[in-house]
Amino acid sequence: MSGQQTQQTLQQRLHSTLDNPNQPFALLTTVRVKDKAAGDRLEAAMQTVVEKSRQEAGNITYHVNRDANDPTIFYFYDRWNSIDAVDFHEQTEYFKAGLVVLKEVIAEPPTTTILQIAY
């Protein structure tokens, strides 16, 4: 779920940012939805995505957080063992289903920050 900050795909950004494609890393994605009802819909859809993603061999952690002060803002925080793990994740049916809902409810393109794990 890459954002507006670049025209590159997430995969291209990962390859150009990370020195080693097999190193663990994290993604922080900020999503703003149209209204509280859209947020409720996204939250419900993400429950399955999160539960199944956490079972993937390449996933370290996967969390969806809703801003306590603004119910239209979400923060997705996920850690992966490798770029290949994200490739696998993005091909799953549950990820694709979540992406369909996301595209229907967003107010603006999400932004994704790639984080190198410091320790």
Side-chain angles (χ1 to χ4, degrees):
M1 294 178 200
S2 60
Q4 204 174 26
Q5 70 270 27
T6 179
Q7 295 292 63
Q8 292 181 312
T9 67
L10 177 59
Q11 292 303 319
Q12 290 168 327
R13 290 182 56 218
L14 288 170
H15 282 285
S16 67
T17 301
L18 300 174
D19 295 331
N20 177 350
N22 296 314
Q23 74 185 64
F25 62 91
L27 300 173
L28 177 62
T29 302
T30 304
V31 174
R32 180 179 295 276
V33 296
K34 297 173 185 173
D35 54 31
K36 184 182 179 310
D40 293 346
R41 185 167 172 227
L42 178 62
E43 190 172 330
M46 290 307 300
Q47 184 174 0
T48 298
V49 177
V50 170
E51 289 172 0
K52 292 188 176 205
S53 297
R54 288 178 179 168
Q55 296 173 13
E56 293 175 28
N59 180 258
I60 299 169
T61 191
Y62 201 111
H63 296 276
V64 176
N65 303 280
R66 196 168 190 173
D67 192 293
N69 294 310
D70 185 342
T72 66
I73 300 175
F74 288 81
Y75 301 96
F76 293 56
Y77 177 78
D78 38 302
R79 290 175 67 170
W80 301 94
N81 284 327
S82 68
I83 294 173
D84 286 346
V86 174
D87 286 339
F88 173 84
H89 172 69
E90 290 185 346
Q91 296 306 312
T92 63
E93 291 306 314
Y94 50 87
F95 174 83
K96 291 176 184 178
L99 198 55
V100 167
V101 173
L102 177 73
K103 288 178 180 180
E104 293 172 354
V105 300
I106 58 172
E108 58 194 45
T111 58
T112 298
T113 302
I114 300 168
L115 305 168
Q116 291 187 350
I117 298 172
Y119 65 91

